[in-house]
């Protein structure tokens, strides 16, 4: 019998239909079809499992459920993904969406945007209860920024000083802003926040970018499950495919949230991530 590893969640009373209606589905006006595809490819690259920021080494506490014998076969993993996506709007996906919406808010002044990003960074860092998850997110953020610096230099930089003066300020201004806030000690630097700011710079649609980012999260969990349970590639891909409607719904919920809504669910997942630190043997860093 499948054991339910359902995370603790607060019932959501918001209308998903209104979330869909207010989400920024359309691409910015004036973009050609080629430009839209180029922006889509930019998001696919940074969300790809082979993008070298270390995401493949993190199970986000799933390995605890495996060793506690909660995850044993395909149906267990299908239930795990369902539970994970019920929580994700209040965690990584919600953080990413809120950061992206801040960056796209033309009503904010330069100083106001800095303040909003600082507050979001501090809140999201405090909500990362498990040390391994927090440390992993900070490392992934630092590697993302470093890679984007090199990519935005467009092959013209010959030294680190050239990269500093190069294209990240021009091509990824919101991510460059986050880099400055981290360097100044005003932010810790979290991967989900960085992804939202990168999406504001590069994505054709923030909602589409959020779906792509959410897919990268559950795809990484599927790869973890294949090794840790172990789960066949066939069963893992079936579970991943069946989770797509829940992923889209999770993104729609994320677009209805305010910062105060973040972290209101997922206590069981947080506990599992904390317990991961003391597991007898581990395949993953978190």
């Amino acid at each position: 019998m499948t054991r339910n590893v359902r995370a603790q969640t607060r019932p959501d009373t918001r209308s998903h239909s209104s979330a869909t209606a207010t989400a920024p589905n359309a691409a910015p006006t004036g973009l050609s079809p080629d430009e839209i595809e180029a922006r889509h490819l930019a998001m696919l690259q940074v969300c790809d499992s082979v993008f070298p920021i270390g995401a493949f080494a993190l199970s986000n506490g799933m390995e605890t459920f495996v060793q506690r014998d909660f995850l044993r076969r395909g149906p267990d993993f299908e239930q795990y993904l369902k539970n994970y996506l019920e929580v994700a709007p209040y965690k990584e996906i919600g953080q990413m969406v809120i950061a992206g919406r801040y960056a796209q808010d033309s009503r904010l002044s330069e100083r106001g945007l800095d303040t909003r990003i600082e507050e979001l960074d501090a809140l999201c860092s405090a909500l990362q209860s498990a040390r391994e998850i927090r440390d992993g997110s900070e490392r992934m953020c630092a590697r993302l920024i470093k890679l984007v610096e090199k990519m935005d230099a467009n092959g013209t930089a010959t030294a680190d000083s050239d990269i500093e003066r190069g294209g990240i300020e021009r091509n990824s201004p919101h991510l460059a802003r986050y880099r400055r806030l981290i360097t100044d000690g005003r932010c810790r630097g979290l991967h989900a926040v960085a992804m939202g700011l990168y999406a504001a710079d590069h994505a054709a649609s923030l909602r589409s970018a959020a779906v792509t980012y959410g897919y990268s999260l559950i795809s990484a969990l599927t790869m973890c499950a294949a090794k840790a349970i172990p789960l066949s590639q066939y069963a893992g891909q079936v579970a991943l495919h069946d989770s797509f409607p829940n992923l889209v719904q999770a993104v729609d919920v994320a677009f209805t949230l305010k910062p105060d809504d973040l972290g209101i669910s997922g206590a069981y997942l947080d506990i599992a991530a904390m317990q991961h630190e003391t597991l007898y043997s581990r395949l993953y860093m978190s």
Side-chain angles (χ1 to χ4, degrees), residues 57-78:
L58 308 177
S59 81
N60 289 296
M62 186 183 72
E63 196 171 12
T64 301
F65 290 121
V66 174
Q67 293 203 24
R68 298 289 188 268
D69 206 27
F70 286 4
L71 291 175
R72 295 177 295 181
R73 53 198 181 94
D76 299 331
F77 182 63
E78 291 174 9

Side-chain angles (χ1 to χ4, degrees), residues 13 38 69 86 89 113 125 138 150 177 208 232 258:
T13 59
D69 206 27
E86 288 176 349
L113 180 55
S125 180
E138 292 177 8
K150 294 183 180 298
R177 177 186 299 272
S208 176
S232 72
K258 298 178 180 179

Side-chain angles (χ1 to χ4, degrees), residues 108-128:
L108 290 175
S109 65
E110 295 289 314
R111 180 177 297 181
L113 180 55
D114 281 356
T115 300
R116 291 290 181 90
I117 294 174
E118 288 177 47
E119 292 174 347
L120 182 62
D121 177 273
L123 173 63
C124 295
S125 180
L127 291 174
Q128 299 284 12

Side-chain angles (χ1 to χ4, degrees), residues 172-277:
S172 306
H174 292 101
L175 191 64
R177 177 186 299 272
Y178 197 34
R179 178 189 64 170
R180 172 176 55 79
L181 292 172
I182 295 168
T183 301
D184 292 346
R186 297 162 64 183
C187 289
R188 297 182 67 100
L190 299 174
H191 181 248
V193 175
M195 287 296 292
L197 298 174
Y198 183 86
D201 290 329
H202 293 278
S205 157
L206 182 57
R207 183 173 183 270
S208 176
V211 171
T212 303
Y213 174 60
Y215 173 80
S216 74
L217 297 175
I218 59 176
S219 176
L221 289 175
T222 302
M223 290 191 295
C224 289
K227 296 178 182 178
I229 291 179
L231 190 71
S232 72
Q233 292 288 346
Y234 175 86
Q237 290 302 313
V238 169
L240 181 64
H241 175 270
D242 290 348
S243 71
F244 289 170
N246 293 329
L247 170 58
V248 174
Q249 185 180 66
V251 170
D252 286 343
V253 171
F255 273 95
T256 71
L257 303 183
K258 298 178 180 179
D260 287 348
D261 297 315
L262 296 176
I264 66 173
S265 62
Y268 200 8
L269 294 177
D270 288 340
I271 291 171
M274 294 176 192
Q275 291 174 334
H276 186 271
E277 299 177 19

Side-chain angles (χ1 to χ4, degrees), residues 32-127:
S32 70
D34 285 350
E35 289 172 324
I36 291 173
E37 292 303 330
R39 287 172 175 258
H40 182 55
L41 287 170
M43 286 305 305
L44 286 177
Q45 181 182 18
V46 298
C47 290
D48 198 297
S49 60
V50 300
F51 196 65
I53 59 174
F56 65 91
L58 308 177
S59 81
N60 289 296
M62 186 183 72
E63 196 171 12
T64 301
F65 290 121
V66 174
Q67 293 203 24
R68 298 289 188 268
D69 206 27
F70 286 4
L71 291 175
R72 295 177 295 181
R73 53 198 181 94
D76 299 331
F77 182 63
E78 291 174 9
Q79 183 65 48
Y80 176 85
L81 283 183
K82 180 177 183 293
N83 299 152
Y84 177 84
L85 287 171
E86 288 176 349
V87 169
Y90 308 98
K91 296 172 77 69
E92 293 94 343
I93 294 179
Q95 295 169 15
M96 181 264 189
V97 166
I98 291 174
R101 296 184 80 174
Y102 281 164
Q104 293 182 340
D105 190 345
S106 60
R107 298 168 299 177
L108 290 175
S109 65
E110 295 289 314
R111 180 177 297 181
L113 180 55
D114 281 356
T115 300
R116 291 290 181 90
I117 294 174
E118 288 177 47
E119 292 174 347
L120 182 62
D121 177 273
L123 173 63
C124 295
S125 180
L127 291 174

Side-chain angles (χ1 to χ4, degrees), residues 3-23:
R3 298 179 67 179
N4 192 332
V5 295
R6 183 180 181 84
Q8 298 176 7
T9 59
R10 178 180 296 179
D12 186 78
T13 59
R14 300 175 178 84
S15 167
H16 290 176
S17 60
S18 64
T20 305
T22 58

